[in-house]
Amino acid sequence: MNEEHKLKFVFTGSVGAGKTTAIRQISEVDPISTEAKPSDETIARRKGTTTVAMDYGQLTLDGGQLLYLYGTPGQRRFDFMCEILTKGALGLIILVDNSHEDPMSELDYYLNLNAAFLRQSAAVIGVTHYDEKATPTVSDYYKVLEERGDPWPVMHVDARKADDVRLLLNTMLATLEYV
């Protein structure tokens, strides 16, 4: 398969938003993960390991096209990985942990961090941990995006459910048709 038929998508978002879990749920190969014990005490209280370089998985679409799935680290000291991993990517899936202290600022942060990439590519916003905290609502996210002038689709998803992750990817593929 030549380069133009390879589809690369990047999952990004804060620590604990579900990037590694989402890729694990749908990858047809054993995902590559660079999990390590967190050195940040705040993160260590939330989870035992965290991504320090990237996650990687693959998924084949019905038409035979291969999707390459990458996940960025959530710790801000590794933000430089976003620029590296989005090279050659077609789209960005931003996962926002709705149980975060200020999920809207997290959305804003990741949109700003990836602004150069998003001027030429598409994004889909997946709101995770909605079962733990139902506010802000999907409508609230749309309002923030509208104020920013960003047209990206938003949906609440459970990164532990393969069907929800596939819905994100299908939405991304549909969004790419209009970018």
Side-chain angles (χ1 to χ4, degrees), residues 97-109:
D97 178 351
N98 215 45
S99 69
H100 188 276
E101 182 179 297
D102 187 357
M104 292 303 187
S105 69
E106 289 297 295
L107 173 63
D108 193 56
Y109 181 82

Side-chain angles (χ1 to χ4, degrees), residues 28-104:
E28 296 168 340
V29 299
D30 286 336
I32 296 170
S33 186
T34 58
E35 294 282 303
K37 185 177 178 183
S39 56
D40 181 307
E41 200 54 42
T42 306
I43 296 168
R45 280 189 294 248
R46 288 190 69 201
K47 53 191 289 197
T49 61
T50 189
T51 302
V52 294
M54 68 174 204
D55 296 309
Y56 173 79
Q58 294 179 359
L59 177 67
T60 306
L61 296 176
D62 290 339
Q65 286 186 302
L66 188 59
L67 296 184
Y68 295 89
L69 311 169
Y70 290 84
T72 68
Q75 296 178 74
R76 297 208 172 161
R77 65 186 171 134
F78 298 121
D79 280 355
F80 65 91
M81 289 301 295
C82 280
E83 186 176 344
I84 293 168
L85 292 175
T86 56
K87 284 189 186 343
L90 294 177
L92 188 66
I93 298 166
I94 301 173
L95 297 182
V96 179
D97 178 351
N98 215 45
S99 69
H100 188 276
E101 182 179 297
D102 187 357
M104 292 303 187

Side-chain angles (χ1 to χ4, degrees), residues 136-151:
T137 66
V138 168
S139 294
D140 295 329
Y141 283 94
Y142 272 116
K143 287 176 193 168
V144 168
L145 289 169
E146 184 179 342
E147 290 169 8
R148 290 178 53 96
D150 290 326

Side-chain angles (χ1 to χ4, degrees), residues 100-172:
H100 188 276
E101 182 179 297
D102 187 357
M104 292 303 187
S105 69
E106 289 297 295
L107 173 63
D108 193 56
Y109 181 82
Y110 285 97
L111 289 169
N112 291 337
L113 177 64
N114 295 284
F117 175 76
L118 292 173
R119 281 194 281 278
Q120 302 166 39
S121 302
V124 171
I125 315 301
V127 181
T128 63
H129 300 277
Y130 205 76
D131 55 327
E132 295 172 34
K133 186 174 174 213
T135 56
T137 66
V138 168
S139 294
D140 295 329
Y141 283 94
Y142 272 116
K143 287 176 193 168
V144 168
L145 289 169
E146 184 179 342
E147 290 169 8
R148 290 178 53 96
D150 290 326
W152 312 125
V154 180
M155 63 198 71
H156 59 84
V157 297
D158 186 335
R160 300 167 296 188
K161 294 182 179 176
D163 286 345
D164 283 14
V165 180
R166 284 189 196 99
L167 178 60
L168 279 171
L169 286 172
N170 286 333
T171 303
M172 172 60 72

